[in-house]
Amino acid sequence: MTPKEKAIELFEMFIAHTRVFHEGIGWVNYEDSTKTCALICVDEIILALNNTWAMNAYDYWEQVKEEIEKL
Protein backbone atom coordinates (compact mmCIF):
# COMPACT_ATOMS: atom_id res chain seq x y z
CA MET A 1 0.00 0.00 0.00
CA THR A 2 1.40 3.39 -0.94
CA PRO A 3 1.65 6.21 1.62
CA LYS A 4 -1.15 8.03 -0.18
CA GLU A 5 -3.39 4.97 -0.06
CA LYS A 6 -2.69 4.53 3.67
CA ALA A 7 -3.44 8.24 4.28
CA ILE A 8 -6.78 7.89 2.52
CA GLU A 9 -7.55 4.69 4.44
CA LEU A 10 -6.85 6.36 7.81
CA PHE A 11 -8.85 9.44 6.80
CA GLU A 12 -11.82 7.25 5.89
CA MET A 13 -11.54 5.36 9.20
CA PHE A 14 -11.81 8.57 11.21
CA ILE A 15 -14.36 10.52 9.14
CA ALA A 16 -17.32 8.68 10.69
CA HIS A 17 -16.11 9.64 14.16
CA THR A 18 -15.93 13.35 13.38
CA ARG A 19 -19.36 13.59 11.73
CA VAL A 20 -21.92 15.74 13.57
CA PHE A 21 -25.64 16.20 13.00
CA HIS A 22 -26.96 19.77 12.88
CA GLU A 23 -30.67 20.49 12.77
CA GLY A 24 -31.62 22.11 9.49
CA ILE A 25 -28.29 21.23 7.88
CA GLY A 26 -28.03 17.51 8.49
CA TRP A 27 -24.82 15.56 8.82
CA VAL A 28 -21.60 17.55 8.54
CA ASN A 29 -18.14 16.06 8.19
CA TYR A 30 -15.45 17.94 10.05
CA GLU A 31 -12.53 17.12 7.79
CA ASP A 32 -10.03 19.21 9.77
CA SER A 33 -10.84 17.15 12.86
CA THR A 34 -10.55 13.98 10.80
CA LYS A 35 -7.09 15.00 9.61
CA THR A 36 -6.07 15.86 13.17
CA CYS A 37 -7.15 12.43 14.43
CA ALA A 38 -5.29 10.65 11.65
CA LEU A 39 -2.18 12.73 12.27
CA ILE A 40 -2.28 11.98 15.99
CA CYS A 41 -2.51 8.28 15.14
CA VAL A 42 0.48 8.46 12.80
CA ASP A 43 2.50 10.54 15.29
CA GLU A 44 1.90 7.88 17.95
CA ILE A 45 3.05 5.13 15.56
CA ILE A 46 6.20 7.10 14.74
CA LEU A 47 6.87 7.73 18.43
CA ALA A 48 6.42 4.04 19.23
CA LEU A 49 8.83 3.08 16.44
CA ASN A 50 11.39 5.61 17.66
CA ASN A 51 11.06 4.36 21.23
CA THR A 52 11.41 0.77 20.07
CA TRP A 53 14.54 1.61 18.12
CA ALA A 54 15.94 3.51 21.06
CA MET A 55 15.27 0.62 23.42
CA ASN A 56 16.88 -1.85 21.01
CA ALA A 57 19.88 0.45 20.69
CA TYR A 58 20.09 0.83 24.47
CA ASP A 59 19.99 -2.94 24.97
CA TYR A 60 22.62 -3.43 22.28
CA TRP A 61 25.04 -0.98 23.87
CA GLU A 62 24.43 -2.45 27.34
CA GLN A 63 25.41 -5.85 25.94
CA VAL A 64 28.50 -4.33 24.31
CA LYS A 65 29.43 -2.82 27.68
CA GLU A 66 29.03 -6.21 29.38
CA GLU A 67 31.19 -7.88 26.72
CA ILE A 68 33.91 -5.26 27.16
CA GLU A 69 33.86 -5.87 30.91
CA LYS A 70 34.40 -9.59 30.24
CA LEU A 71 37.57 -8.94 28.21
Side-chain angles (χ1 to χ4, degrees):
M1 179 176 290
T2 68
K4 184 174 183 174
E5 290 170 337
K6 180 52 91 174
I8 292 168
E9 180 183 57
L10 285 170
F11 185 87
E12 290 174 353
M13 283 181 190
F14 285 106
I15 194 76
H17 301 285
T18 59
R19 187 174 293 147
V20 177
F21 185 79
H22 294 283
E23 288 187 36
I25 300 174
W27 289 101
V28 177
N29 293 329
Y30 285 95
E31 292 183 2
D32 287 342
S33 295
T34 302
K35 288 180 186 180
T36 299
C37 291
L39 288 170
I40 289 169
C41 178
V42 172
D43 285 343
E44 288 298 314
I45 292 168
I46 291 169
L47 181 63
L49 289 174
N50 286 337
N51 288 342
T52 300
W53 177 86
M55 186 55 75
N56 289 341
Y58 178 80
D59 290 343
Y60 170 78
W61 288 108
E62 281 295 312
Q63 290 172 11
V64 170
K65 181 179 174 181
E66 289 173 10
E67 292 302 319
I68 291 171
E69 290 171 348
K70 290 180 186 177
L71 294 175

